[in-house]
Amino acid sequence: MDRSYEETLQYVNTNSRPSELRITDMRVADIVGAPMHCTLVKIYTNQGLVGYGEVRDGADRKFILSLKSRILGENPCNIDKLFRRIKQFGGHARQGGGVCGIELALWDLAGKAYGIPVYQMLGGKFRDKIRIYCDTDIEGKHTGIEMGKALKKRMDKGFTFLKMDLGIDLLYDEPGALCAPLGFVRELKAASSYNSIPRNLDMNQRIARNRDYDMNNVPHPFTGIQVTEHGFDILEQYVKDVRSVIGWDIPLAIDHFGHIGVESCIKLARRIEKYNIAWMEDMIPWQLTSQYVRLANSCAVPICTGEDIYLKENFRPLLEAGGVSVIHPDILTSGGILENKKIGDMAQEFGVAMAIHMAESPIACMAAVHSAAATENFLAQEFHSVDIPWWEDMVTGLPRPLVDNGYIHVPDKPGLGIDELVDEVIMEHIHPDYPGIWLPTEEWDNDYSHDRLWS
């Protein structure tokens, strides 16, 4: 029986027409505990394809919603074009989240439109599986032996690379361990519970929270905090005890030292370099290039930073100056999948390895996996959700378990490799300030500003 052209199209997969693909909508859902607050993103198209993105923990959802009008009606396969249009609205740390969230979803859509995995569009892969390093936290007062036992459990799960914290919070209650303006450490401890400013606070509560925020955001050189020899003894013993449990064969990276000046950082590095530390991470603000150079030249521990740096050009000063041995971008801060690969490629020119920070949902995880697969000098990717039983349940289409014996296998499915997001699981962990998911966002369709950066 003869059919018209239009009738025939009803039986044809029109997703095979990527040149006619257009963005029609963007919606979000905020969840908590995965392991932190993050905004999941869906970008819809005229051919029924949906791309998945994510905004990093702590970033306001308005960062991405305000960009909706800049991409509506556009072909998502023109990733670089759209990224160049919106990247001016990103920034360092969580401020880059909106741009990165869109960039991830564009790659997912392009891969689905052409029927190929993201890594293949980046030039192919250097590896079939991605080494995962396991970050491990212990709440409250604890010892190095206890941390060592927690890390040993990670090794029993097959992880081949570890990371822990070694902060001055371990010294808050130890007399004579920290030297600082009198009362400052006590105030800092009291403010350390700061996380966010809920919208339902009254003015006095908001003032108190803002004060806590300010306490936790004094840059390292300005706190006046120094670690004493007694404090260094405690921290060194902590690392020694950890090694006594996990042994010497597995790499151990260290993070979250606290806001101490570069002099104390140098002393601490020299104290613990004998324990074969894989890297010391974010010891001082990443912007302080000359201090990073001084730190790197003063010890034998590899120095690492990068999770708060936005765009390739902002990694260059640290690399050119020789301030780091490892860079550590986050896919939701660095600029997204392609920018992350460019950062890794640039670091390779300076003999610097690239690890990847990742404490987010499976969306950001898989975006990082594809970027890592396509980057030759990749070292290891973070995983911060081992103890979250529902983490994998948020999505379908990925292998179970996703992290298998310390690795994630790079999927060959189109896009990021995720089939669908599971709304039932997302609803169980929805942010209380944003109780709905995938609600209409028409109010952002015509948002406008004069975007041009030149006259």
Side-chain angles (χ1 to χ4, degrees):
M1 141 175 174
D2 294 333
R3 290 191 178 97
S4 68
Y5 175 74
E6 289 76 14
E7 290 174 327
T8 302
L9 279 183
Q10 296 178 16
Y11 301 93
V12 175
N13 178 10
T14 56
N15 295 343
S16 61
R17 299 189 299 181
S19 62
E20 299 179 23
L21 195 63
R22 295 293 182 270
I23 295 171
T24 58
D25 200 3
M26 181 172 71
R27 302 189 181 191
V28 299
D30 287 77
I31 61 172
V32 290
M36 303 171 191
H37 167 210
C38 59
T39 302
L40 309 181
V41 180
K42 284 185 178 182
I43 293 182
Y44 301 81
T45 67
N46 60 339
Q47 295 180 17
L49 295 179
V50 178
Y52 301 132
E54 180 176 350
V55 179
R56 189 178 171 190
D57 63 282
D60 195 307
R61 55 163 44 191
K62 291 192 291 291
F63 284 154
I64 192 166
L65 291 174
S66 65
L67 303 178
K68 180 182 178 183
S69 61
R70 276 81 178 179
I71 63 172
L72 280 179
E74 293 289 340
N75 187 332
C77 298
N78 296 327
I79 302 168
D80 198 18
K81 170 190 170 183
L82 295 180
F83 177 72
R84 295 182 189 214
R85 176 183 295 176
I86 65 175
K87 73 175 182 177
Q88 62 177 294
F89 300 104
H92 300 299
R94 276 65 174 167
Q95 296 176 18
V99 172
C100 301
I102 288 176
E103 201 265 6
L104 266 59
L106 297 180
W107 279 107
D108 192 31
L109 283 167
K112 290 173 178 175
Y114 286 101
I116 56 176
V118 168
Y119 75 78
Q120 194 63 61
M121 295 185 287
L122 298 175
K125 56 185 176 179
F126 287 93
R127 55 195 61 82
D128 294 323
K129 59 183 182 179
I130 303 303
R131 184 185 305 278
I132 300 298
Y133 79 80
C134 191
D135 205 340
T136 302
D137 299 327
I138 298 180
E139 297 294 332
K141 188 73 173 178
H142 60 277
T143 66
I145 294 295
E146 290 171 313
M147 173 58 80
K149 290 178 179 178
L151 291 170
K152 186 66 169 60
K153 291 179 180 178
R154 306 304 200 204
M155 296 170 65
D156 293 340
K157 289 179 177 290
F159 288 98
T160 62
F161 206 115
L162 303 173
K163 190 169 82 174
M164 69 175 191
D165 297 344
L166 186 71
I168 59 172
D169 57 302
L170 295 170
L171 308 177
Y172 282 164
D173 298 321
E174 180 66 28
L178 294 174
C179 178
L182 291 179
F184 185 80
V185 171
R186 182 176 64 253
E187 294 175 354
L188 187 63
K189 178 185 177 182
S192 63
S193 61
Y194 169 82
N195 184 33
S196 63
I197 302 178
R199 297 180 297 174
N200 59 351
L201 294 181
D202 62 30
M203 185 56 68
N204 289 331
Q205 291 172 318
R206 186 170 295 276
I207 290 172
R209 278 298 185 99
N210 282 332
R211 178 183 175 278
D212 290 347
Y213 174 88
D214 292 338
M215 283 290 299
N216 280 289
N217 283 274
V218 177
H220 300 54
F222 312 139
T223 63
I225 298 175
Q226 293 180 306
V227 183
T228 67
E229 289 303 312
H230 176 52
F232 286 128
D233 288 341
I234 295 172
L235 295 178
E236 180 180 349
Q237 185 64 46
Y238 186 97
V239 178
K240 183 178 180 180
D241 289 343
V242 169
R243 274 293 183 202
S244 72
V245 177
I246 67 172
W248 292 81
D249 297 328
I250 190 167
L252 175 64
I254 301 180
D255 193 10
H256 293 296
F257 296 91
H259 289 189
I260 55 178
V262 67
E263 293 81 8
S264 286
C265 292
I266 292 171
K267 291 180 180 179
L268 178 57
R270 289 173 173 171
R271 280 289 198 109
I272 66 174
E273 61 187 13
K274 65 174 71 71
Y275 301 105
N276 289 83
I277 306 305
W279 69 68
M280 298 178 76
E281 179 181 331
D282 292 335
M283 300 194 74
I284 49 180
W286 64 267
Q287 300 93 333
L288 304 178
T289 303
S290 61
Q291 291 193 23
Y292 264 98
V293 173
R294 182 180 169 199
L295 174 60
N297 290 339
S298 300
C299 68
V301 179
I303 302 302
C304 169
T305 192
E307 73 174 81
D308 294 321
I309 304 179
Y310 179 58
L311 300 180
K312 173 171 64 75
E313 55 265 31
N314 295 306
F315 283 83
R316 183 176 291 277
L318 279 166
L319 293 168
E320 289 182 335
V324 289
S325 298
V326 180
I327 57 165
H328 195 234
D330 188 301
I331 205 85
L332 299 186
T333 297
S334 63
I337 293 171
L338 179 57
E339 191 75 2
N340 210 73
K341 173 177 165 52
K342 290 180 179 179
I343 290 165
D345 289 344
M346 179 176 66
Q348 185 171 1
E349 297 176 11
F350 293 91
V352 171
M354 181 178 77
I356 295 180
H357 179 271
M358 199 289 294
E360 293 116 4
S361 85
I363 298 172
C365 177
M366 296 313 298
V369 162
H370 284 274
S371 187
T375 308
E376 186 174 12
N377 61 326
F378 167 76
L379 179 59
Q381 176 178 318
E382 182 176 19
F383 187 65
H384 217 306
S385 302
V386 177
D387 301 317
I388 301 175
W390 52 270
W391 188 84
E392 292 181 341
D393 298 336
M394 282 188 280
V395 300
T396 63
L398 298 177
R400 302 289 294 267
L402 181 60
V403 181
D404 182 17
N405 209 32
Y407 289 86
I408 293 178
H409 291 267
V410 183
D412 287 325
K413 299 173 67 173
L416 296 176
I418 296 170
D419 288 345
E420 293 181 335
L421 304 186
V422 182
D423 289 351
E424 294 79 7
V425 176
I426 293 172
M427 280 300 300
E428 290 176 0
H429 304 281
I430 201 70
H431 194 291
D433 285 344
Y434 306 102
I437 64 172
W438 320 127
L439 299 178
T441 56
E442 287 94 343
E443 67 270 26
W444 297 98
D445 287 1
N446 299 304
D447 193 56
Y448 171 79
S449 68
H450 184 74
D451 295 347
R452 195 174 68 194
L453 298 178
W454 44 271
S455 297

